[in-house]
Amino acid sequence: MCGIVAYLGPREAYPILIKGLHRLEYRGYDSAGVALLNGGLSVFKTKGRVSDLENFARNENLHATIGIAHTRWATHGEPNSINAHPHYSQSKKLAIIHNGIIENYAVLKKALINRGYHFQSDTDTEVLVNLIEDIQINEKVELEEAVRIALNQVTGAYAMVLLSEDDPDLLIAARKGSPMVIGIGKDEFFVASDATPLVEYTKSVIYLSEEDVAVMRRGEQIHLKNIKNQEKNPYVQALEMDINKLEKGGYEHFMLKEIFEQPSSIRDSMRGRLHAEKGIVSLGGLVDYEQKIAHAKRIIIVACGTSWHAGLVGEYLIEDLARIPVEVEYASEFRYRNPIITEEDVVIAISQSGETADTLAAIALAKEKGATILGICNVVGSSIARVTDAGSYTHAGPEIGVASTKAFTAQVTVLILLALRLAQIRATIPVSRWMELLHELNAIPEKVDKALQCHDQVKKIADEFKDVRNFLYLGRGYNFPVALEGALKLKEISYIHAEGYPAAEMKHGPIALIDKDMPVVFVAPNTGIYDKVVSNIQEVKARNGKVIAIVTEGDETVRKMADYVVEIPATEEMFVSLLATIPLQKLAYHMAILRGCNVDQPRNLAKSVTVE
Ligand code: F6R
């Protein structure tokens, strides 16, 4: 969702800000803007892409060594240039950028209107900047203090950065519920929603904690306190991020690059954790909690979207291998349905971004009830990684394409490792079988590489079906979450309606949809209850449906029935989702390309969903 970049230092700010906004484009946005301080405070903003902003500002004086910039994903007020950030205060002396939602903005706005303030936009952000100005003027306090007082009056979430015309060497940043990281260079500061805009300038970063206020003044050290006015010592960390991972590296789209990265991202997820020869599985971040998880009464997995699908695979794995009851919950439902949670429960939150508002709220609820909270996150230093008791990073590397691909397979990999470790502790499977699984898991990256070779074949299928309006995805057992994930990928990037279903549920409703125009994707590798899936395929063929089947290489039975088959290498049933997902990611990709869709930034979607 919204992206924030700010700079203060000796360099030209504008190119740094624009490049930073481009780096944050993956988060999803509908308008962009920048404010620069050079004598006066100038704001340039427009609806559309960052490139539209560049065109818009082309002939302006853009020289400045301090500035703030923003990409907005509309919440309050439609996406237009007035609602775009930065927002001026009424006097035009302050400019603010903000990510999050000020929930009590209507009350605050009314009070400000009564005090003579006029508003240009429909945003909650303009309320915040005027509140700060009002406090600064009426209470005659320093700007930093006005920010602190204002933030004590707002409810909701914010990551904000403020500039003041009266103090041209000052940036003030604060956060609550929305992420913010500060890069420290030599006599310079970078601020951003995540580390991607900073990584090429500095590796020294500070992740702001909840309710932190950071004051950055030219020529001085950063000064940190919280909104309760308590001084804090800045904790400077080394940023581990590879700049090459932020570029397309010769691929046409980030999504395609990330699909192809999966053999190595899965390997990275297992690195140092799986030693098949020695019979060792260990998840460093969870070592202190292994016994707690192994003896939990119940594991509750909370997540959203693709991460929720990974959670479903996790449920099958943990119940199958370690025999611990698992429930998988949509974080957005869990948080509002008064769930029964006890201190004996272990809650695992799964999130690529580590910033998903609903997942964070679900964690807060479970924490309140005394459960142990663990995280499986991709983004290092993200909010979820920081609020959980312990966790395991997926190490998939930055995922820029909005549609999650390599993060999903990395999440599943971590869940496999966890299930195997729990099975070992609980001695729920024979050692010989456990060792067999370890060796097979070790071979998975190579098999993923092989599964990736389906490129041309899938392209042909996409060409055949690119104009259809509906798709059905069916699978059973471990392949059911894969069917859900395949359908989600297709709908989010190609805008074709697609539904995922457990194959056997088809006859309880969706079978009514089947006719000659209905393509049905069967995730049908030769594992588990394969024979039953074969029967389901026959039911579709009997009604003239078009069958596209993902099968194990060498499969002859389904090949005879299906209209199209895509082969994946043979593997253990428990690991099949890591392979079967690959052709479905590719199918969605090619369909979207053929339909002329923006694959990396699909309409209306955001990479990091920081509002509920
Ligand atoms: C789908 C997708 C979303 C995310 C969901 C959760 O491709 O990207 O469904 O999976 O928004 O996001 P995280 O994993 O960041 O919590």
Side-chain angles (χ1 to χ4, degrees), residues 304-307 350-356 359 384 399 402-404 411 485 488-489 492 606-609:
C304 304
T306 288
S307 298
I350 306 179
S351 174
Q352 187 288 128
S353 63
E355 302 295 348
T356 302
T359 310
I384 293 177
E399 190 177 66
V402 164
S404 193
Q411 289 165 343
E485 176 58 7
L488 178 62
K489 286 295 85 98
E492 66 185 333
K607 184 70 185 159
S608 162
V609 185

Side-chain angles (χ1 to χ4, degrees), residues 479-515:
N479 295 314
F480 163 51
V482 175
L484 292 178
E485 176 58 7
L488 178 62
K489 286 295 85 98
L490 187 70
K491 66 186 137 197
E492 66 185 333
I493 62 167
S494 73
Y495 317 140
I496 294 173
H497 169 244
E499 273 191 71
Y501 250 90
E505 276 292 303
M506 180 180 65
K507 52 188 163 303
H508 300 287
I511 199 163
L513 296 168
I514 311 277
D515 63 12

Side-chain angles (χ1 to χ4, degrees), residues 22-35:
H22 278 302
R23 288 247 190 265
L24 293 176
E25 280 189 301
Y26 77 96
R27 296 166 70 90
Y29 70 104
D30 43 55
S31 52
V34 60

Side-chain angles (χ1 to χ4, degrees), residues 16 92 107 350 371 566:
I16 294 173
K92 293 209 158 156
V107 180
I350 306 179
V566 182

Side-chain angles (χ1 to χ4, degrees), residues 72-129:
R72 171 174 187 255
W73 190 86
T75 55
H76 293 68
E78 62 177 274
N80 60 27
S81 56
I82 295 173
N83 288 329
H85 301 205
H87 287 284
Y88 279 122
S89 62
Q90 179 140 304
S91 71
K92 293 209 158 156
K93 283 187 179 285
L94 303 179
I96 198 170
I97 50 177
H98 163 229
N99 175 12
I101 291 180
I102 308 295
E103 285 166 7
N104 58 341
Y105 86 103
V107 180
L108 296 169
K109 187 171 182 174
K110 204 167 162 205
L112 286 164
I113 290 171
N114 289 341
R115 289 209 286 280
Y117 281 81
H118 301 284
F119 289 85
Q120 316 300 320
S121 74
D122 304 319
T123 65
D124 49 344
T125 305
E126 199 185 0
V127 175
L128 179 59
V129 72

